[in-house]
Amino acid sequence: MPLVGRNKEIDRILSAIRGPKETALAVVGGRGMGKSALLSGIRSLSDYRTVFLSPSGAESGWPLSGLTALLNEMDDPVLNRAADELVRSSAEAVTVPAVSAMLLSSLHQRPSSRTLIVIDDADQLDPATQSVVGFLARRLAGTEVVLFAGMREERPGSPLSGLPALHLRAMSHSDTVRMLEGIPTARTTTTAAHAVAAATGGNPLAAVELYNRLLARYPDGRYALPVPLSTQSSFDAEHASAVGALRPGARTLLDLLALSFHSDVSTIVKIRPEASTAAEELLTAGLVKRSGQHLWIADQLLRGHVYAAMPAGVRTANHRAMAEAARDTDRQGRSWHLSFTAPDGQTPFQLLRHAVHLVRGGHVPFAVEFIEWALTLNPSEAETAERLTGLAELLFSRGELVYARRYAEWAQGVTRNPALILRLTGLSFEIQFVQGAAVRCSMVQRLVQEFGQHHPGYSAGLLAVGALYYAERWELKEAAELLRQGGAFRGSASVQHLAMAEHAKLLLESISGARSNPARRHEQAGRHDQLGSARQAGLLLRGRALAYAEQHESAREIFAMLHGSTTPEHANWRQTAALMAIDNQIRAGNVGAAVRLIDELELSEPGMNYHRGTRHLFRVWRAYSLGDDELARVEASEAQRYLQAGYHPALTAQLAACQGNFALLRGDLAESVAQLSRAAEIGMGLGNPTLLRCEADLVEILVRLGRHREATQALQRLESRSMGLRSPWLLMVVARSRAMLADGEQSLHLFNQALEDRNGNRLERGRTLMCYAERLHAFGRLRHAREALLRAKVMFDEAGADAWTQHVDALLLDDRWEPARPQGNPSMLLLADHERSLAMMVARGMRNKEIAATLYVSVRTVEVRLTAIYRKLGVESRAQLTALAAGKGTTAVQPYVLPVL
């Protein structure tokens, strides 16, 4: 079983393996939680010798049988002698304390390197072996042994209790889906994977067993899912034991509850007056849950087991009794139970109508059962397609993208209605828009051209949404073309769609760098918004425009308000706002805040349902920002695989810009210039250089590589594209680029000018200070350079930019950044720091041309400064200066010179 979703657990194991001290770790996980798979994977985590033991249950009654098996697996000369002595010893001498002491002494005598001992199901070893292992586990210091002991549960009083423990929890829904979709099968169905993940509660073994059984029965995904998801699995014995321990009344109630996802208590009481007492027994046992007037079986696998165990006649009788009891109390429940006993032609449509109400009430799993059973009864009528279309749109609006896609595709397969084809295909496009998939603009245009006249109002809305999608991808020509095409449907468009189209136009202006006030323009456009999706879209786009206009605080407030919405219909806008809030903080230079938002997003929505490419990009950026280059490489590889599967020029450019920026930070100049050049080439197609933000980095890396002519050209391109843009960020980076390209004292003057404007974000200000410090260092002004570095570190700390802070710390620890201690002749005290640095360059044999290149000054400037140094020290040649700097003195008599203050 692939170790999906266990990154934190693997990190804990690696820390034990690589730690400086020997240690023991108990890995605790219940049945099916992947404990054995995780322990088996330890072999591949390191190059250390690994000894793996899986105890035999048949030998659990033999004293020390597990220990002898372990010693046999280790096959160590020292331990073999201990094992032989153990075999030769009499029964009276073979006591647990004696054996424990003998083995501990033998482990200390071993000359071998670190060894990993992995014992799966250590709690199933014979009691004597458990005692020995528990004794050794607490005394591993100096043995070069790391011990991992797998257990189903921690038992108080056990010899293995009290060890540091790693508890395996249930996997998240998204990790379970990823694991299932990674299983090699003839065909995987996303809906089946999601249904299984929801039913199994994150138990990996249960999920794999149920998923394989479903695919065996429904290999092509064209059939409705069974209701409930019953299965024969390795958990049947546990379920049978739990059910067998119940009293007859509770057992009967459990049968009734298994008929439906949840049941009305008042309905059950009409059939079983003693149901209240039975329910208390089931609640106490943890087999059912209750909310208000409804009871349901908590474990859907248990429900499937109970349902399958009921004879067919008993099931039908129970459905009939429940339908009769629900006549006046539960219309949904009555329709559900009647569909199993007396279905007619209208039964599937009644179930689909009830499913709409369940989705609106937030009971999506229950609604899915209604829909799947309706499709089982009547999968292919035209009215089925009509109702499925409405359900798919409703599920989409609530963020249930998997089920929305399933029912849209099902409806597409059974309808020939052109208006429905338009809605269903358009919905498929909208799902892809939200997920971040690549959709060609021509496909949207062709759809509207062929079917738009059958539903003009829907066409207007689809074109407006499409324009927003392409604008966010920075494909401005495509967005503008869809808005132009939408003009033909303006007379049929709703007020909401008209407002959405207007917001899309304004977003295009913001992206292209128009001078208009984005907040006021969007506010004016939003006066006609309703309280529904159009208002959410208007707020979202206003926040996005403010972020592009670098009004980051106002944008943050809007995104926070949208993300805090609890209205179910706003799920897609809410998730999009969460991603835009992260991008806003990155643009503002608030690295720490952006990292926190990404972490929150990963906890609340660990999957990739929304804007997958952007999520990949954020993961790469986060890893680099935290200084975790290894994780960044892994995430970048995942991002590259995603981008290669579709057409994503903007994301490709952003990933290259991100990688180039952090390669610059690491000092990997070749990688940086390659990535930044690639990003800049794509970015030239964008009118606004503030979108990609890579050209200033390209100027810097070209300067560092000594390619000043190319750097000058890159800066000129950036300045020409910046004309008319009111961007504090642009002002800061252009000023820094000019300073880096300048020579001598002029560069220091330009750096000071760049730092005068305090409106730029803290990250960019810190970077400017760091570049300034490097230039000061090159001029030999080490004290001032160090002060600038310390100020840069403050900026990076305030921004939460850990990677940049680590870089500054490394520079501060470098002796070359410390003010030079005068060495050799005390006359060197007469020189200023920058003069002393120049004198040391001469002493190292550097020529004037090399010194000029190092200091970014002209050769003439070097000659003038050397003349001043000669005058202060009373020397007449480079040889005398070299001798003086080296402390060898000079042949000429040195006059007394007053220090220059």
Side-chain angles (χ1 to χ4, degrees):
M1 184 185 303
L3 296 177
V4 176
R6 296 300 188 192
N7 293 335
K8 292 183 179 179
E9 290 81 358
I10 291 174
D11 289 343
R12 176 80 182 276
I13 289 173
L14 284 174
S15 66
I17 294 174
R18 298 170 180 171
K21 296 182 179 179
E22 299 83 354
T23 186
L25 182 67
V27 180
V28 184
R31 179 174 179 77
M33 295 306 295
K35 168 180 60 64
S36 296
L38 181 62
L39 291 173
S40 298
I42 291 178
R43 292 190 182 99
S44 62
L45 296 180
S46 74
D47 295 330
Y48 294 128
R49 180 169 181 251
T50 303
V51 178
F52 190 89
L53 176 66
S54 183
S56 171
E59 298 180 357
S60 60
W62 298 356
L64 297 177
S65 60
L67 182 61
T68 56
L70 176 61
L71 294 175
N72 183 61
E73 288 291 332
M74 293 188 71
D75 192 22
D76 183 275
V78 176
L79 295 177
N80 286 343
R81 290 196 298 271
D84 293 340
E85 184 177 345
L86 181 62
V87 172
R88 291 193 300 268
S89 301
S90 62
E92 293 77 11
V94 181
T95 63
V96 170
V99 171
S100 300
M102 177 180 64
L103 284 179
L104 183 60
S105 175
S106 299
L107 287 175
H108 280 287
Q109 295 174 20
R110 288 171 63 247
S112 58
S113 60
R114 177 159 292 196
T115 301
L116 311 182
I117 299 178
V118 183
I119 305 176
D120 192 13
D121 292 326
D123 50 349
Q124 302 301 312
L125 291 166
D126 61 276
T129 299
Q130 289 190 47
S131 297
V132 174
V133 170
F135 175 85
L136 296 175
R138 295 171 175 82
R139 297 164 176 82
L140 291 175
T143 63
E144 285 297 323
V145 169
V146 178
L147 173 67
F148 297 97
M151 298 185 290
R152 287 280 182 90
E153 59 182 357
E154 287 186 293
R155 297 174 182 173
S158 165
L160 300 174
S161 64
L163 295 178
L166 169 62
H167 293 270
L168 297 183
R169 309 298 181 187
M171 293 173 61
S172 69
H173 181 92
S174 60
D175 283 336
T176 306
V177 171
R178 282 201 303 129
M179 177 190 69
L180 295 177
E181 292 183 335
I183 296 175
T185 58
R187 175 175 176 174
T188 59
T189 59
T190 301
T191 307
H194 280 265
V196 167
T200 53
N203 186 294
L205 178 60
V208 170
E209 290 181 345
L210 179 54
Y211 188 64
N212 287 335
R213 183 174 176 83
L214 276 179
L215 292 187
R217 293 179 60 187
Y218 310 99
D220 54 5
R222 292 184 300 163
Y223 300 97
L225 297 174
V227 179
L229 292 176
S230 57
T231 178
Q232 295 177 350
S233 70
S234 58
F235 292 84
D236 285 346
E238 294 181 15
H239 293 151
S241 176
V243 173
L246 299 175
R247 288 183 288 188
R251 178 68 178 83
T252 302
L253 176 58
L254 201 64
D255 284 346
L256 294 176
L257 294 177
L259 301 176
S260 176
F261 190 84
H262 70 208
S263 302
D264 186 86
V265 175
S266 60
T267 301
I268 296 175
V269 169
K270 291 180 182 179
I271 303 173
R272 298 288 178 183
E274 73 282 3
S276 297
T277 303
E280 288 299 327
E281 181 179 347
L282 295 177
L283 288 167
T284 302
L287 300 181
V288 302
K289 291 184 178 180
R290 179 168 184 169
S291 177
Q293 287 297 309
H294 291 96
L295 280 171
W296 67 93
I297 298 177
D299 185 349
Q300 289 301 297
L301 291 183
L302 173 62
R303 178 191 168 198
H305 172 82
V306 173
Y307 188 86
M310 273 188 287
V314 174
R315 275 204 302 265
T316 302
N318 286 338
H319 273 301
R320 189 177 293 113
M322 290 288 286
E324 182 62 28
R327 180 183 297 273
D328 301 322
T329 57
D330 186 4
R331 291 177 56 194
Q332 289 178 351
R334 177 174 170 77
S335 297
W336 173 259
H337 293 293
L338 282 176
S339 68
F340 288 88
T341 58
D344 57 29
Q346 291 300 308
T347 297
F349 309 130
Q350 291 175 354
L351 293 176
L352 293 176
R353 282 197 297 271
H354 289 311
V356 170
H357 294 295
L358 287 169
V359 172
R360 288 175 176 166
H363 307 295
V364 174
F366 197 9
V368 168
E369 288 200 356
F370 270 68
I371 299 169
E372 295 293 336
W373 183 237
L375 295 179
T376 302
L377 297 175
N378 188 353
S380 58
E381 282 197 19
E383 188 175 349
T384 301
E386 176 76 33
R387 295 183 183 277
L388 276 181
T389 302
L391 272 165
E393 291 172 339
L394 183 62
L395 287 164
F396 170 71
S397 70
R398 282 158 170 74
E400 298 290 342
L401 307 184
V402 172
Y403 291 115
R405 181 186 290 276
R406 170 174 172 79
Y407 300 131
E409 291 176 350
W410 192 296
Q412 281 179 306
V414 298
T415 186
R416 295 183 179 178
N417 184 324
L420 280 185
I421 292 175
L422 172 66
R423 288 170 59 190
L424 290 167
T425 309
L427 177 61
S428 176
F429 287 155
E430 289 191 63
I431 292 173
Q432 293 179 73
F433 292 164
V434 169
Q435 290 181 329
V439 180
R440 295 196 177 278
C441 182
S442 59
M443 297 173 64
V444 181
Q445 291 177 295
R446 189 181 306 122
L447 174 67
V448 174
Q449 288 169 357
E450 293 183 11
F451 297 96
Q453 69 274 16
H454 297 288
H455 200 324
Y458 180 83
S459 299
L462 177 62
L463 291 170
V465 171
L468 296 177
Y469 165 76
Y470 290 108
E472 187 56 33
R473 287 168 58 92
W474 301 344
E475 298 176 26
L476 306 187
K477 292 181 180 178
E478 289 79 358
E481 180 59 27
L482 290 187
L483 287 176
R484 185 199 62 77
Q485 189 175 359
F489 300 95
R490 189 174 182 83
S492 303
S494 67
V495 175
Q496 291 184 349
H497 291 154
L498 289 174
M500 197 175 295
E502 185 62 25
H503 285 301
K505 291 178 183 178
L506 297 178
L507 180 61
L508 287 178
E509 292 182 10
S510 299
I511 293 174
S512 61
R515 298 186 180 186
S516 57
N517 187 317
R520 178 170 297 179
R521 295 289 301 280
H522 279 277
E523 186 176 354
Q524 292 171 350
R527 290 177 181 174
H528 301 292
D529 291 354
Q530 304 298 312
L531 295 177
S533 296
R535 172 174 168 76
Q536 299 300 308
L539 284 172
L540 187 72
L541 298 178
R542 188 189 307 174
R544 194 57 164 157
L546 287 167
Y548 284 133
E550 301 180 38
Q551 299 180 32
H552 299 293
E553 188 59 32
S554 299
R556 185 194 64 78
E557 293 175 358
I558 291 177
F559 293 139
M561 179 175 62
L562 285 170
H563 188 53
S565 171
T566 57
T567 306
E569 295 86 348
H570 300 162
N572 296 329
W573 301 113
R574 184 166 59 246
Q575 293 296 333
T576 303
L579 290 164
M580 289 185 175
I582 295 170
D583 183 71
N584 179 57
Q585 294 289 18
I586 293 174
R587 290 179 173 277
N590 299 328
V591 180
V595 169
R596 286 192 295 273
L597 289 177
I598 294 173
D599 290 341
E600 291 174 6
L601 186 64
E602 291 295 314
L603 289 174
S604 63
E605 182 63 33
M608 285 284 193
N609 283 337
Y610 292 92
H611 306 283
R612 293 171 179 170
T614 304
R615 289 286 295 273
H616 278 301
L617 180 65
F618 285 163
R619 288 176 173 177
V620 175
W621 179 89
R622 174 190 176 277
Y624 276 130
S625 296
L626 294 177
D628 192 339
D629 291 342
E630 182 63 33
L631 177 60
R633 281 191 288 271
V634 173
E635 297 292 359
S637 178
E638 291 290 326
Q640 289 286 5
R641 276 196 290 270
Y642 173 81
L643 295 176
Q644 289 170 0
Y647 178 71
H648 303 279
L651 285 174
T652 300
Q654 290 178 77
L655 178 61
C658 175
Q659 291 178 293
N661 174 270
F662 285 101
L664 167 63
L665 172 63
R666 295 193 307 272
D668 189 348
L669 304 188
E671 172 70 9
S672 180
V673 75
Q675 294 287 1
L676 292 173
S677 298
R678 182 186 183 196
E681 183 179 356
I682 300 174
M684 287 301 294
L686 304 172
N688 187 346
T690 66
L691 295 178
L692 197 53
R693 297 188 169 188
C694 66
E695 291 166 86
D697 289 340
L698 181 59
V699 173
E700 180 175 339
I701 194 65
L702 290 172
V703 170
R704 292 182 184 279
L705 288 169
R707 294 156 61 175
H708 292 80
R709 179 176 299 178
E710 295 175 64
T712 301
Q713 293 172 348
L715 177 57
Q716 289 173 348
R717 287 195 300 269
L718 176 59
E719 290 179 318
S720 65
R721 298 177 64 217
S722 303
M723 296 295 292
L725 297 178
R726 300 177 179 178
S727 166
W729 176 85
L730 265 177
L731 291 175
M732 172 66 77
V733 299
V734 168
R736 181 173 72 226
S737 300
R738 289 173 180 167
M740 292 195 72
L741 275 168
D743 289 333
E745 295 294 332
Q746 176 67 14
S747 69
L748 300 183
H749 175 68
L750 290 175
F751 270 118
N752 283 316
Q753 284 186 339
L755 292 168
E756 286 177 359
D757 185 2
R758 300 181 181 273
N759 294 325
N761 65 51
R762 286 168 293 188
L763 177 63
E764 292 299 342
R765 185 171 175 80
R767 290 187 59 185
T768 302
L769 278 165
M770 193 171 68
C771 293
Y772 179 44
E774 291 174 340
R775 185 59 56 88
L776 288 169
H777 180 271
F779 288 171
R781 303 181 183 181
L782 302 188
R783 184 176 66 257
H784 294 95
R786 187 175 179 82
E787 291 173 357
L789 271 186
L790 292 172
R791 290 163 59 198
K793 182 179 178 180
V794 171
M795 293 291 106
F796 293 144
D797 282 337
E798 291 179 354
D802 291 350
W804 291 94
T805 302
Q806 293 168 14
H807 180 65
V808 173
D809 285 338
L811 292 178
L812 290 171
L813 291 173
D814 192 332
D815 291 339
R816 290 174 296 178
W817 284 78
E818 289 287 347
R821 298 284 193 273
Q823 297 178 356
N825 198 306
S827 299
M828 296 296 289
L829 288 170
L830 300 176
L831 302 180
D833 287 344
H834 67 280
E835 292 174 327
R836 192 178 304 115
S837 178
L838 193 153
M840 296 307 297
M841 291 181 185
V842 171
R844 290 196 296 269
M846 294 178 66
R847 298 181 178 277
N848 288 358
K849 186 176 181 180
E850 295 172 328
I851 296 173
T854 302
L855 299 180
Y856 300 94
V857 296
S858 65
V859 175
R860 175 59 181 164
T861 301
V862 174
E863 293 172 349
V864 170
R865 291 183 179 177
L866 278 177
T867 300
I869 292 172
Y870 291 168
R871 187 183 303 115
K872 282 187 180 182
L873 298 180
V875 297
E876 298 178 355
S877 67
R878 298 174 72 90
Q880 290 180 352
L881 177 60
T882 299
L884 187 65
K888 298 178 181 178
T890 62
T891 56
V893 179
Q894 301 296 318
Y896 177 76
V897 182
L898 289 174
V900 179
L901 300 178

